Amino acid sequence: MTVNNRPGVLNRITGLFTKRHYNIESITVGHTEIEGVSRMTFVVNVDDERTAEQIIKQLNKQIDVLKVNDITDQAIVARELALIKVAAPPAVRQEIYTLIEPFRASIVDVSKDSLVIQVTGEPEKVEALIELLRPYGIKEVARTGTTAFTRGAQKATTNQKTAFII
Amino acid sequence: MTKMKVEEQEKARTKARMSGSLMLIEALKEEKVEVIFGYPGGAVLPLYDELYKAGVFHVLTRHEQGAIHAAEGYARISGKPGVVIATSGPGATNIVTGLTDAMMDSLPLVVFTGQVATSVIGSDAFQEADVVGITMPITKHNYQVRDISELPRIIKEAFHIATTGRPGPVLIDIPKDITTAEGEFDYDQDVHLPGYQPTTQPNHWQIRRLVEAVSQSKRPVILAGAGVLHANASNELRQYAEQQNIPVIHTLLGLGGFPADHPLFLGMAGMHGTYTANMALCECDLLINIGARFDDRVTGNLNYFAPKATVAHIDIDPAEIGKNVPTKIPIVSDAKAALQELIAQQGKPADTAAWLEQLDEWKRRFPLHYEPEAGTIKPQKLIEMIYEMTNGEAIVTTDVGQHQMWAAQYYKFNRPHRWVTSGGLGTMGFGLPAAIGAQLADRSATVVSIVGDGGFQMTFQELSVIQELGLPIKIVIVNNQALGMVRQWQELFYEKRYSHSLIPNQPDFVKLAEAYGIPGLRAKTEAEAAEVLKQAFAMDGPVLLDFHVRADENVYPMVAPGKGLHEMVGVKACEELSR
Ligand SMILES: Cc1ncc(C[n+]2csc(CCOP(=O)(O)OP(=O)(O)O)c2C)c(N)n1
Ligand SMILES: [Mg+2]
């Protein structure tokens, strides 16, 4: 979704979700290539098509909302970044290095008994890495939430339960 | 002078440098605002100083809630935006109810609130409140002015947003330093809102689908809401209904959009709707909603709503279509544009002869009814007497409760824009101040404000304004010494445990009126009521009438909460009635 970058616009949007009883899974906001225009990406769990449609219509009614796109059923690029601080005494470090490699994650901070791992990817991938690291003892996780847009070329639709609204 | 020169002079005027306060006054002139409803305070003193100098017509209500309800009444009757000014903090929080009311009932308002100076915003300064935050969900849009250079654009946008598409309240919060800052007043600019482009013309293909659906249907019905009135489409509605032989039902707020004495009219639908209207909704095979939002008080339990019908919905707000009721034929459009298009199509009318016969039979057998009783005043009878007294021509404003429902049932509106009531929010205290705005919007009209003894006491301080301006409003208190509608629900659903709904010690309303310099009259029997009404309508100025009505009367028919429309209670066939 693109919005005018005006004071309070995020408040307007999240307030609308609260008022209408919709639950936001994640939300990301940032500038776009156009000055004064921001992009917001929401992940919202909905029960049915009608609710998704209603959310989009309500968002569209906001004066500061420029364009809303439901990309749930479209070919999309969706990315999330997570920082994971995991307990890592020297004995298990090598093991962790090997484990995160297929995820193309990187170590961004090292201390005496912990590591901070940075991973980028689709939310499922981030989820999977967190699960793998859990046995080592996760101390902290910070996730950005998903940001996304549609791919240049659309192919056959995929089936997902979660609605992405950008 | 050449045309060029005139234009240049005009430009010079609209580009002059001036203070924020003066800009506001100039902008209101540009918008041809005739009246402002407001209340001063610290944060708006510079603005009030300019009002004083400019001699703008400003009505000082006695409470900010009175100001905003008056503005709503003005907007409802005139179709123009109601303008309100309130000061920061408590002034602004006092208009929250009115904003919500206007939002729910789609009334165009432009509301200015004062704010503490920019330099102290966020410091919990004296009379600071986060008004933009508070009013975000209850306005169509709101602004806080951060720089004097934005002010003209913001005011222009506010009027545009309030009055176009689905109308609604727009609020502008103005810090005090902005009202004194100087800037260039450029009102000669185009409104540029890429995120706000209401669709007003119907989609041709959907219109064709509706025409086709009508021609196939045997039992079509139109449910017309206030959207018809906002679009000034009463004539088109009538033309279309007559062309296609389709009966018409109104929502509470739609009343007057279609003439009540028209043979195709079935009455109001919903919780206290007529038997025929509700049964028509249950039995119809095609339901054409024009400018109504399928409110729960209209539909009853959605599981039983219009079970046999294909639903078509014409609405200027796309979000209303499919929100509560699955809709086969969605038409996003202004009601007038859609109706004109439908009329122009000259589709094959539905064969509704049998259907209309059935409906007429219901109308004849199951009319609205009450048991007349001499020696008391039946509230329904009282409304009928007022209707006769005013030849059905009056502007009627109401408060919220039983009296409101009786007014809706028994005052037969044949003309549009004569009915002012709080529908979506059901705001007690609305009726009296709304009458002030209504009378100011139409000075020559007879205005009757029908209120309850409960709700009247929420805003009766506005009697002062009525007296001051000499507005000839006839105030009718339907006095049942009770919060009647609450009492009714307690009687029906809480085994007559009248918890805090009986008020046997109501004040002497006649004396109260007299204290405000308004004559008061009282009646306790039907005969007295007739006499008192005659006197009141012979008077030139305002008058307050205190009618002690039968206190245990209930509003019927009634669809209990959670029930379907077919489960109405309190319906009697006319052969069972005593008259
Ligand atoms: C501000 C507000 N508070 C409470 C209510 C709930 N309520 C609805 S009707 C009603 C009773 C109104 O009593 P009265 O004004 O005497 O009218 P009556 O029903 O007796 O005709 C109440 C309390 C409301 N609608 N608005
Ligand atoms: Mg009462």
Side-chain angles (χ1 to χ4, degrees):
Chain A
M1 166 168 109
T2 46
V3 299
N4 286 322
N5 185 9
R6 296 247 173 90
V9 64
L10 181 62
N11 197 359
R12 264 179 223 291
I13 305 304
T14 53
L16 189 154
F17 278 89
T18 314
K19 169 175 169 180
R20 304 263 170 202
H21 253 205
Y22 306 133
N23 249 329
I24 306 176
E25 272 308 296
S26 89
I27 177 172
T28 59
V29 192
H31 295 294
T32 62
E33 69 286 0
I34 304 162
E35 202 190 313
V37 175
S38 295
R39 178 183 302 278
M40 294 187 184
T41 308
F42 299 92
V43 180
V44 192
N45 279 320
V46 294
D47 297 334
D48 50 35
E49 196 64 30
R50 217 167 105 192
T51 315
E53 193 183 310
Q54 201 25 232
I55 297 177
I56 290 164
K57 284 176 167 179
Q58 292 297 346
L59 286 169
N60 262 320
K61 266 168 65 166
Q62 292 291 324
I63 312 285
D64 280 333
V65 169
L66 302 172
K67 195 168 179 359
V68 190
N69 244 331
D70 179 357
I71 56 171
T72 312
D73 293 333
Q74 297 185 33
I76 55 171
V77 188
R79 290 291 179 273
E80 183 178 16
L81 183 145
L83 297 174
I84 307 156
K85 189 186 278 179
V86 65
V92 299
R93 281 207 185 163
Q94 201 51 48
E95 202 177 314
I96 292 179
Y97 289 155
T98 323
L99 187 133
I100 66 171
E101 210 197 298
F103 288 86
R104 294 199 206 150
S106 52
I107 310 288
V108 291
D109 186 53
V110 182
S111 71
K112 199 158 84 24
D113 46 19
S114 70
L115 292 173
V116 177
I117 295 158
Q118 172 188 312
V119 60
T120 323
E122 299 202 334
E124 292 77 15
K125 173 177 153 187
V126 173
E127 206 66 57
L129 180 61
I130 292 173
E131 282 319 305
L132 281 175
L133 290 171
R134 204 176 286 288
Y136 298 92
I138 288 177
K139 297 185 153 185
E140 259 180 287
V141 174
R143 298 174 67 163
T144 59
T146 308
T147 189
F149 49 47
T150 52
R151 289 182 185 278
Q154 291 291 312
K155 49 177 201 291
T157 62
T158 56
N159 240 341
Q160 272 170 292
K161 267 210 318 291
T162 321
F164 283 98
I165 299 176
I166 71 164
Chain B
M1 234 184 317
T2 64
K3 190 165 170 271
M4 278 278 279
K5 272 202 179 134
V6 175
E7 271 175 12
E8 264 166 33
Q9 278 202 346
E10 179 68 16
K11 267 241 163 73
R13 194 176 67 79
T14 56
K15 279 237 169 111
R17 282 189 73 77
M18 58 182 80
S19 71
S21 299
L22 198 52
M23 280 188 193
L24 204 149
I25 308 270
E26 288 298 319
L28 296 184
K29 281 187 199 157
E30 296 277 332
E31 298 291 345
K32 306 198 168 46
V33 172
E34 304 165 321
V35 53
I36 303 167
F37 303 92
Y39 208 99
V44 287
L45 279 175
L47 185 53
Y48 270 79
D49 195 43
E50 289 300 342
L51 280 176
Y52 184 87
K53 291 190 243 166
V56 178
F57 181 39
H58 171 281
V59 175
L60 174 73
T61 54
R62 283 0 182 213
H63 188 298
E64 287 89 352
Q65 184 179 359
I68 193 158
H69 290 328
E72 291 184 81
Y74 176 84
R76 180 71 80 194
I77 295 301
S78 69
K80 292 186 244 175
V83 176
V84 177
I85 303 177
T87 193
S88 70
T93 54
N94 269 349
I95 58 168
V96 163
T97 301
L99 284 172
T100 316
D101 192 89
M103 184 72 176
M104 290 284 257
D105 287 352
S106 312
L107 291 171
L109 300 183
V110 176
V111 177
F112 298 91
T113 50
Q115 182 55 276
V116 299
T118 321
S119 55
V120 293
I121 286 182
S123 71
D124 300 317
F126 179 61
Q127 296 194 330
E128 179 182 359
D130 174 14
V131 172
V132 170
I134 290 169
T135 62
M136 222 170 244
I138 52 169
T139 51
K140 185 171 172 186
H141 195 53
N142 64 8
Y143 297 88
Q144 185 175 69
V145 185
R146 301 266 169 123
D147 191 284
I148 182 74
S149 64
E150 308 174 324
L151 185 59
R153 171 184 61 82
I154 287 177
I155 299 177
K156 192 146 192 182
E157 284 180 10
F159 275 92
H160 177 72
I161 293 169
T163 54
T164 52
R166 178 177 180 177
V170 180
L171 180 138
I172 306 177
D173 196 40
I174 312 181
K176 191 170 181 179
D177 53 315
I178 303 282
T179 63
T180 51
E182 293 237 327
E184 191 177 85
F185 180 64
D186 180 7
Y187 211 69
D188 198 22
Q189 44 182 315
D190 291 332
V191 171
H192 176 66
L193 293 167
Y196 177 68
Q197 307 286 336
T199 306
T200 56
Q201 297 302 313
N203 175 296
H204 187 71
W205 184 67
Q206 298 291 2
I207 291 281
R208 287 296 315 162
R209 286 182 69 205
L210 178 51
V211 169
E212 183 60 26
V214 169
S215 72
Q216 307 269 317
S217 88
K218 293 264 174 291
R219 300 185 310 280
V221 71
I222 292 171
L223 174 68
V228 169
L229 299 169
H230 289 302
N232 278 315
S234 297
N235 286 337
E236 287 78 5
L237 173 62
R238 181 181 178 153
Q239 239 180 304
Y240 178 63
E242 287 174 353
Q243 184 197 59
Q244 298 291 318
N245 288 320
I246 306 177
V248 177
I249 295 169
H250 265 316
T251 63
L252 173 70
L253 289 179
L255 292 173
F258 194 77
D261 63 7
H262 196 288
L264 286 171
F265 188 58
L266 308 182
M268 178 174 77
M271 184 169 271
H272 296 296
T274 63
Y275 177 84
T276 312
N278 284 344
M279 287 309 290
L281 286 170
C282 295
E283 293 300 321
C284 64
D285 64 359
L286 175 65
L287 170 55
I288 308 169
N289 174 339
I290 310 179
R293 59 184 178 84
F294 285 131
D295 176 75
D296 55 86
R297 290 282 153 125
V298 167
T299 62
N301 187 327
L302 282 171
N303 294 328
Y304 307 109
F305 181 68
K308 304 171 186 172
T310 299
V311 176
H313 189 169
I314 300 169
D315 207 299
I316 193 137
D317 180 357
E320 288 305 340
I321 300 179
K323 185 179 80 177
N324 297 336
V325 175
T327 299
K328 192 83 167 284
I329 307 174
I331 301 179
V332 180
S333 171
D334 172 79
K336 195 186 195 98
L339 281 163
Q340 281 171 341
E341 181 75 22
L342 285 167
I343 294 162
Q345 292 282 321
Q346 305 218 352
K348 179 170 133 325
D351 176 12
T352 54
W355 173 230
L356 292 178
E357 206 169 293
Q358 163 80 83
L359 294 168
D360 278 341
E361 152 93 7
W362 282 338
K363 277 202 262 186
R364 217 173 27 252
R365 280 199 67 206
F366 305 104
L368 289 169
H369 71 88
Y370 60 89
E371 298 287 331
E373 186 185 31
T376 66
I377 305 174
K378 282 283 181 158
Q380 302 92 330
K381 175 72 185 175
L382 175 63
I383 307 290
E384 285 181 334
M385 289 161 85
I386 296 168
Y387 169 75
E388 276 153 30
M389 196 61 135
T390 54
N391 299 316
E393 302 263 292
I395 290 175
V396 177
T397 79
T398 77
D399 220 74
V400 170
Q402 290 184 311
H403 66 279
Q404 173 190 34
M405 292 301 125
W406 287 317
Q409 291 177 331
Y410 290 92
Y411 199 99
K412 313 276 179 208
F413 293 92
N414 285 325
R415 284 171 59 198
H417 312 296
R418 302 284 94 178
W419 170 238
V420 185
T421 198
S422 166
L425 195 63
T427 307
M428 283 172 73
F430 174 86
L432 187 72
I436 296 172
Q439 183 79 77
L440 289 173
D442 187 346
R443 294 275 193 159
S444 60
T446 300
V447 176
V448 185
S449 185
I450 301 177
V451 298
D453 49 322
F456 172 69
Q457 291 183 75
M458 288 200 176
T459 48
F460 74 70
Q461 70 283 352
E462 306 308 340
L463 286 173
S464 211
V465 177
I466 294 172
Q467 188 275 335
E468 181 184 352
L469 299 178
L471 302 177
I473 299 168
K474 312 300 176 200
I475 303 155
V476 172
I477 301 182
V478 182
N479 188 348
N480 51 14
Q481 310 269 312
L483 305 177
M485 191 56 95
V486 172
R487 191 207 56 73
Q488 174 168 345
W489 282 48
Q490 289 170 337
E491 177 183 332
L492 300 176
F493 312 123
Y494 296 88
E495 296 166 327
K496 302 192 179 179
R497 289 187 298 278
Y498 296 128
S499 178
H500 300 273
S501 59
L502 304 180
I503 313 180
N505 64 330
Q506 291 292 27
D508 184 331
F509 291 119
V510 171
K511 275 197 190 143
L512 183 78
E514 284 165 358
Y516 279 94
I518 293 173
L521 298 166
R522 179 174 294 121
K524 296 186 173 181
T525 64
E526 202 176 299
E528 284 171 16
E531 183 52 40
V532 156
L533 282 172
K534 211 187 295 163
Q535 279 182 42
F537 283 93
M539 290 183 197
D540 285 336
V543 54
L544 180 146
L545 308 170
D546 179 20
F547 293 104
H548 287 230
V549 299
R550 197 47 214 251
D552 55 0
E553 194 70 19
N554 287 337
V555 183
Y556 288 122
M558 178 173 194
V559 179
K563 300 282 185 188
L565 291 184
H566 61 294
E567 297 172 282
M568 278 165 286
V569 295
V571 179
K572 279 190 186 165
C574 57
E575 53 270 22
E576 303 168 50
L577 300 178
S578 51
R579 48 176 187 138

